[in-house]
Amino acid sequence: MSAHPPVHVGAEPLSVADVVAVARHDAPVAIDTAALDRVAETRAIVDALAADPDPHYGVSTGFGALATTFIAADRRRQLQASLIRSHAAGTGAEVEREVVRGLQLLRLQTLASGRTGVRPVVAETYADLLNAGIVPVVREYGSLGCSGDLAPLAHIALAAMGEGEVRTGNGLVPASEALAAAGIEPLVLEEKEGLALINGTDGMLGMLALALADLETLLTTADVAAALSVESQLGTDAVFAADLMALRPQSGQAVSAAHLRAFLADSPIVASHKGPEDGRVQDAYSLRCSPQVHGSARDTAEHAATIASRELASVIDNPIITPDGRIESNGNFHGAPVAAVLDFLAISVADVASVSERRTDRALDPARSHGLPPFLADEVGVDSGLMIAQYAAAGIVSELKRLAVPASVDSIPSSAMQEDHVSMGWSAARKLRRAIDGLTRVLAIEILTGTRALDLRAPLQPGPATGAVRDLVRTVAGGPGPDRFLSPDIEAVTELVRSGAVVRAAKEHAHVS
């Protein structure tokens, strides 16, 4: 059972934290009672339209290019089931569990809005699947990010019908078996319900929410890593002064600079080379401009969070039941707003990783590191130190530059030219997830490098915050030497970064909120 309290759905819009709690930490969900009443009221409107001899899109017609085809009442259940089965056409590797749970939760939020026309039992079944830990198998490819994340959402709906495959605590099992074990009755879909289950930006939005949560930690981790590099490479903290930052009032830059000041405070190493006897005029850009680069990414994330909050407050379906009872077609399922910020974040992620790798490279070069041994080797000439760790960071950064190429500028027409412009938002989200993993590893390599360099500055000691990070890294990584190989150390530090342990250690000793 999850230690998280239940996330309530239907009373007010979900937050990014709510999505993360359910998707990543298995928080249970509970549907607001008033929301279920709204769902029932709207369903009565659909039932009345279903009895009308005139066609109504999504209720008594086909879909997409077949929107003008009238469907007789005795074939509509088959139509709904066929829609889901035909759209559950994803292919490729399974996507991650947290992504699927995010899909389930966000579609549930739309169902609970009372604007989609489904029966209450449909929303309740989606909640039951989440609370039972039943995770439908969703594949990597199948969404163009328009008319919703169609194939991914269809695989969720297929499982709710008791078809397809799911993952549970017992591994990969048929959906029918998992639902029976959990005491969940498979859905038999009625008019309008098939469309309501697959029209939405839930996949790309869920991945955006997860990315924002990751970046909240990673961008502060980047500040910690930069502080380690500045300190261990005998850089100056004077350029991070608050009055200098105020001359350019970019909010993200100010936050990163404040972090750097706090993380470098009371450092004997920094104090050791202050004054006129230090002949260097200014540090390289990768050190000196860290707040500007990191801050730009912070501002991008803030903009993306604004878009996410608006999308989390949205009701995405087509057709939609308006508050005054009309059933209307619309284009709100188009993923353009979400796709654009997903691509924007991938650009910022690549930039932060790029400047991090440059700081790492400086530490390994005796011509630029101010007294450190080549590659920070334990025995120069006998072992290669962190040489190949930098290779790994460089390879990741190169890939991140490729992943920064926007997906949202592409469009491939589909559905017999009815859906002739699409967002590719799902693809943008998928590559952002890979980019965030790459940034995590690049920062881990810089942290491993910076803490190793601090050790080599002995007897000089680091400041309280950077020293705490060095001590934390020492618990999992032994550093280079002729009898060690580095991959386990890099993986261990990567997990410290991913878990937020690096940020917690630095903040605790720097008194940063």
Side-chain angles (χ1 to χ4, degrees), residues 134 158-159 161-166 173-184 186:
I134 296 173
L158 192 70
M161 292 163 54
E163 300 180 24
E165 294 180 315
V166 300
V173 299
S176 58
E177 179 181 313
L179 267 62
I184 300 171

Side-chain angles (χ1 to χ4, degrees), residues 207-221:
M207 286 185 274
L208 174 58
L210 292 165
L212 289 170
D214 291 335
L215 286 170
E216 185 175 3
T217 297
L218 288 176
L219 293 178
T220 301
T221 303

Side-chain angles (χ1 to χ4, degrees), residues 311-497:
E311 198 74 1
L312 286 166
S314 303
V315 178
I316 308 296
D317 191 17
N318 182 51
I320 201 81
I321 314 298
T322 64
D324 62 359
R326 292 176 292 115
I327 182 166
E328 298 285 357
S329 293
N330 66 91
N332 285 336
F333 49 71
H334 198 289
V338 181
V341 294
L342 288 163
D343 280 334
F344 198 175
L345 286 172
I347 292 170
S348 289
V349 164
D351 199 28
V352 172
S354 177
V355 75
S356 171
E357 183 275 331
R358 288 294 81 203
R359 293 190 297 256
T360 294
D361 184 65
R362 292 187 68 81
L364 306 185
D365 182 358
R368 295 178 290 156
S369 65
H370 302 287
L372 295 172
F375 305 108
L376 308 186
D378 184 64
E379 187 177 351
V380 177
V382 175
D383 75 89
S384 298
L386 292 168
M387 177 194 295
I388 307 303
Q390 184 270 330
Y391 280 32
I396 294 169
V397 168
S398 180
E399 179 173 357
L400 296 188
K401 293 174 184 177
R402 295 190 294 273
L403 292 172
V405 175
S408 57
V409 298
D410 188 27
S411 179
I412 297 180
S414 59
S415 191
M417 293 299 287
Q418 175 75 0
E419 299 167 11
D420 59 352
H421 184 275
V422 298
S423 77
M424 302 306 296
W426 173 273
S427 299
R430 296 305 295 160
K431 69 184 183 65
L432 178 59
R433 284 182 66 81
R434 186 169 179 84
I436 285 174
D437 179 71
L439 174 60
T440 304
R441 297 174 187 281
V442 170
L443 292 174
I445 290 169
E446 183 183 3
I447 289 166
L448 185 64
T449 301
T451 55
R452 168 66 175 162
L454 288 180
D455 285 338
L456 293 170
R457 293 295 182 191
L460 288 173
Q461 291 299 307
T466 50
V469 174
R470 179 201 60 186
D471 294 343
L472 174 66
V473 170
R474 281 176 172 173
T475 65
V476 300
D483 299 321
R484 291 186 60 83
F485 69 102
L486 284 173
S487 184
D489 288 352
I490 295 171
E491 291 301 308
V493 177
T494 297
E495 288 307 309
L496 291 179
V497 170

Side-chain angles (χ1 to χ4, degrees), residues 129-149:
L129 289 172
L130 278 167
N131 290 336
I134 296 173
V135 182
V137 171
V138 174
R139 301 289 177 180
E140 179 78 18
Y141 304 108
S143 174
L144 300 180
C146 197
S147 289
D149 289 314

